[in-house]
Amino acid sequence: MIHSWLSKLATSGSHGGIIGNDRLWLIVAAVAWLAAVVAILPLGYGRDSDTYYMLRTWQYFVHAGKYVPSREPGFPFAEFSIGFAASLAGAWLSNLVMAVCAIASAVLAYLLALKLEVARPKLVAALFLANPWIMVQSVTSMDYMLGFVCLLGGMVAVLHGRLLPGVVLLAIAVGTRMPLLFYAGAFLWLASRSRLVPDLRFGEAFVALFFISGLFYLPVWTASSLRFDWLTASWIDDQGLTARLARLAIKPPRLFGLLPSLAALGVLAMLWRRGVLGLPWRASFAARLSLAMVVITLAIYARLPTDISYMIFLIPFLGMLLIEMGAVPVLQVLAVGGLVTAVVDIDPIEILSRDGDECGWLVRSARLSPHFIAGPVLAEVQEYDRGEACYRKLLLVDYASANSPVP
């Protein structure tokens, strides 16, 4: 019975009852996303120390007239954009900018899937909006959504034949987060080989992409006395292979929630046994592009498996890949799981900090002990003041309140 339902659902159209109504899926996801944004937006800068480092970079601009990267290798476009918005009206404005970028990214994910002739593009946007880490980053003054909207916007522009605006947007994405160079370069190479854009020549486009995006990094290059030792990032090599493997085993499934990810794997296995799955690699540019983006994301995360938010760039592409494979039920399980995980999640590891360490900087030990915790959205609401308590001291000049202009 379950096998029959899965097979029927995998091949159903966008109006096949409640479960198959793509518009309903999108509406539910959008409402949940909006509720998360409304709850978090006025609470300040959040719990990510990197936000405060970027505000400090802006203050170096204003008070010292020099560029000091928030962290290596530098995130220049985001540092300037977020700092400028915060200097005008504080956290509520810089957070609102991220929310606008996020909803624009959802629209662009839909348009990208539509252009690539993915059968159910509304589900791609729904999966994006239903993810709890997307919800949090949509209203956190960080670089993710700035990079995301430029990356997807550049792809859509290029596929519509607008090569110059497309390459410029892709370059701005790289100027926001340097690892997006891998995404942008892979996209241009695949698009040039697919002949979807007849005028696209990969060599010329990539040189333009590399040069324009490189301009964003001139400040950090000159600040490093024209050396290239800034072309690095934080690593965790000192934690050993065991710690890396443990992170790779535990953290990626938590992108959608541990139990939802396991359920999705189970549904995927059932669909495979029913013989309804396929991967139209040769016929579908959407499948090739999506698989490449997912692999790039996982490869980057394997090098630095720390923050789960690093993996959010694969979400719309995973949605398109699952649709192209005929695995729509898997996508829907992940979407539902994301909505649930936003509120409650299961953490398989219990991390113990030293007594008196409220910020969790001094880890004493970690042990395997599955337990329920607040999901990313609920945790952000409940612990919003932790960021100020732990990281406000990083600023060069303190502010009167989070929602007042940064001095």
Side-chain angles (χ1 to χ4, degrees):
M1 182 177 177
I2 295 177
H3 289 174
S4 177
W5 172 79
L6 289 172
S7 181
K8 182 178 180 180
L9 181 58
T11 56
S12 64
S14 60
H15 301 286
I18 294 178
I19 292 180
N21 190 329
D22 295 357
R23 179 177 296 180
L24 181 59
W25 281 92
L26 182 55
I27 290 173
V28 171
V31 169
W33 176 88
L34 182 60
V37 167
V38 170
I40 299 174
L41 189 145
L43 299 181
Y45 292 106
R47 302 179 298 152
D48 195 326
S49 62
D50 289 341
T51 297
Y52 296 84
Y53 282 118
M54 286 197 290
L55 294 177
R56 186 174 69 175
T57 292
W58 169 259
Q59 290 184 327
Y60 270 115
F61 281 143
V62 174
H63 297 284
K66 63 179 180 179
Y67 175 66
V68 177
S70 57
R71 65 263 196 230
E72 294 175 334
F75 299 75
F77 185 72
E79 291 159 346
F80 186 88
S81 301
I82 291 170
F84 179 68
S87 72
L88 294 178
W92 78 265
L93 180 58
S94 59
N95 289 347
L96 182 61
V97 170
M98 298 306 109
V100 171
C101 289
I103 199 64
S105 297
V107 173
L108 288 167
Y110 168 81
L111 293 176
L112 180 62
L114 195 66
K115 178 63 178 177
L116 296 178
E117 300 181 348
V118 175
R120 303 174 71 169
K122 290 185 180 69
L123 286 182
V124 175
L127 182 67
F128 180 88
L129 292 172
N131 185 267
W133 301 97
I134 290 287
M135 293 178 185
V136 172
Q137 292 302 330
S138 295
V139 70
T140 302
S141 297
M142 278 292 295
D143 43 75
Y144 295 102
M145 289 303 150
L146 280 172
F148 223 145
V149 71
C150 292
L151 178 68
L152 293 175
M155 290 181 176
V156 171
V158 168
L159 291 175
H160 280 85
R162 304 297 301 274
L163 298 184
L164 180 58
V167 172
V168 169
L169 282 171
L170 292 175
I172 296 174
V174 178
T176 304
R177 288 183 65 86
M178 187 176 285
L180 294 183
L181 179 64
F182 296 104
Y183 296 82
F187 164 75
L188 290 174
W189 183 74
L190 289 169
S192 66
R193 290 175 61 87
S194 70
R195 303 186 185 278
L196 288 177
V197 189
D199 296 331
L200 176 60
R201 295 177 177 83
F202 171 71
E204 296 175 1
F206 187 79
V207 168
L209 169 71
F210 190 83
F211 177 76
I212 297 171
S213 60
L215 295 177
F216 288 95
Y217 293 94
L218 281 179
V220 64
W221 188 33
T222 55
S224 300
S225 302
L226 301 184
R227 299 191 305 271
F228 290 95
D229 52 358
W230 54 275
L231 285 171
T232 183
S234 300
W235 309 119
I236 59 169
D237 294 334
D238 59 325
Q239 297 185 16
L241 180 61
T242 301
R244 181 182 296 275
L245 293 177
R247 290 172 181 267
L248 288 174
I250 293 171
K251 288 202 169 187
R254 292 190 60 197
L255 181 62
F256 299 97
L258 185 59
L259 291 183
S261 295
L262 294 175
L265 286 176
V267 173
L268 188 67
M270 290 182 187
L271 292 173
W272 177 74
R273 291 185 62 185
R274 290 288 297 174
V276 299
L277 297 181
L279 184 60
W281 174 263
R282 295 184 180 275
S284 172
F285 175 72
R288 295 195 298 274
L289 174 65
S290 299
L291 184 59
M293 297 298 105
V294 170
V295 169
I296 288 171
T297 302
L298 294 177
I300 292 174
Y301 192 74
R303 185 62 185 90
L304 186 61
T306 53
D307 192 339
I308 296 174
S309 293
Y310 293 166
M311 294 185 291
I312 63 176
F313 294 103
L314 68 75
I315 291 173
F317 300 104
L318 178 63
M320 288 190 283
L321 183 62
L322 290 172
I323 293 171
E324 290 295 286
M325 292 173 58
V328 169
V330 178
L331 184 156
Q332 294 172 326
V333 168
L334 293 176
V336 172
L339 295 175
V340 174
T341 299
V343 179
V344 60
D345 195 8
I346 293 180
D347 192 344
I349 299 293
E350 183 180 11
I351 297 177
L352 302 176
S353 300
R354 295 183 183 178
D355 294 338
D357 180 23
E358 296 180 356
C359 298
W361 290 340
L362 304 174
V363 176
R364 186 178 65 197
S365 63
R367 63 185 181 186
L368 189 64
S369 178
H371 58 286
F372 286 102
I373 60 172
V377 174
L378 182 58
E380 199 71 23
V381 173
Q382 291 179 337
E383 303 177 22
Y384 71 93
D385 55 348
R386 179 182 174 188
E388 288 211 347
C390 296
Y391 308 122
R392 187 171 174 174
K393 65 188 74 172
L394 297 173
L395 300 178
L396 290 183
V397 183
D398 198 8
Y399 47 68
S401 67
N403 287 315
S404 62
V406 169

